[in-house]
Amino acid sequence: MEFRGSVPHDPGQPTAIPVTDGPPSRPPYEGIWRFTVPALDSSVPQARHAVRDLLHDQRVPALDDIVEGLLLIVSELVTNSVRHAALLSPEVGVEVAVGAGWVRVAVEDNHPYRPKALHADQGGTGGRGLLLVQVITAEAGGVCDAERTAGGGKVVWAALPLAGPGPALS
């Protein structure tokens, strides 16, 4: 599976790594991790727990609210893939990327439909997962999107700042 999506630039960090005599110094928690889960309902909590454990094991310095929001985003995105893409995608890919000031999760499946956030009526019991992802991401000061993959599927991703939203822009 191919993972794509941009990561927001860390304010206060240079846009290019300066050339030095040795390798650039990076926080030990930075990296990219990928795993797949079967497109089954039981995979939703498994994916959420795997991401939670990864963030803990890597000692990612994220605020508790950011981690909770990120885990809810993982649950919603994996649920969407399981419910809507299982026939074309028996496995769902999950990627976690962590930089110096941000964390990004991406969920990929082989279904070509690019989802849109639904504004379901009050009586509806579902259909608002992507809207919830957008709200959590915006409240955290992050970005999210859905993109097609080279293989014809899609990847839906969200990137959040580790420290939460910065000062409001006027």
Side-chain angles (χ1 to χ4, degrees):
M1 293 191 146
E2 170 193 354
F3 290 89
R4 298 179 350 164
S6 61
V7 174
H9 172 66
D10 292 331
Q13 295 291 326
T15 55
I17 297 173
V19 177
T20 62
D21 290 333
S25 136
R26 292 181 9 189
Y29 56 82
E30 283 189 20
I32 299 172
W33 296 268
R34 295 179 179 107
F35 62 92
T36 59
V37 293
L40 302 170
D41 288 335
S42 60
S43 295
V44 175
Q46 290 173 352
R48 184 178 60 246
H49 294 150
V51 171
R52 181 200 62 207
D53 293 347
L54 171 70
L55 296 173
H56 178 266
D57 293 348
Q58 294 302 123
R59 297 187 175 134
V60 175
L63 295 175
D64 289 343
D65 288 348
I66 296 296
V67 172
E68 291 304 316
L70 195 69
L71 296 177
L72 185 52
I73 288 169
V74 169
S75 294
E76 291 298 331
L77 296 181
V78 173
T79 296
N80 284 351
S81 287
V82 166
R83 286 190 180 159
H84 304 293
L87 289 175
L88 295 175
S89 191
E91 285 190 328
V92 175
V94 179
E95 178 183 84
V96 179
V98 182
W102 52 268
V103 59
R104 176 182 169 273
V105 294
V107 175
E108 181 180 342
D109 61 52
N110 293 326
H111 197 285
Y113 175 70
R114 183 176 178 196
K116 300 232 187 280
L118 300 177
H119 297 273
D121 66 294
Q122 293 286 31
T125 59
R128 290 175 279 220
L130 196 53
L131 178 62
L132 182 60
V133 168
Q134 290 174 341
V135 168
I136 292 169
T137 302
E139 287 180 356
V143 293
C144 61
D145 201 3
E147 302 172 6
R148 291 201 189 284
T149 63
K154 69 177 169 304
V155 60
V156 183
W157 57 268
L160 307 180
L162 293 175
L169 298 175
S170 40

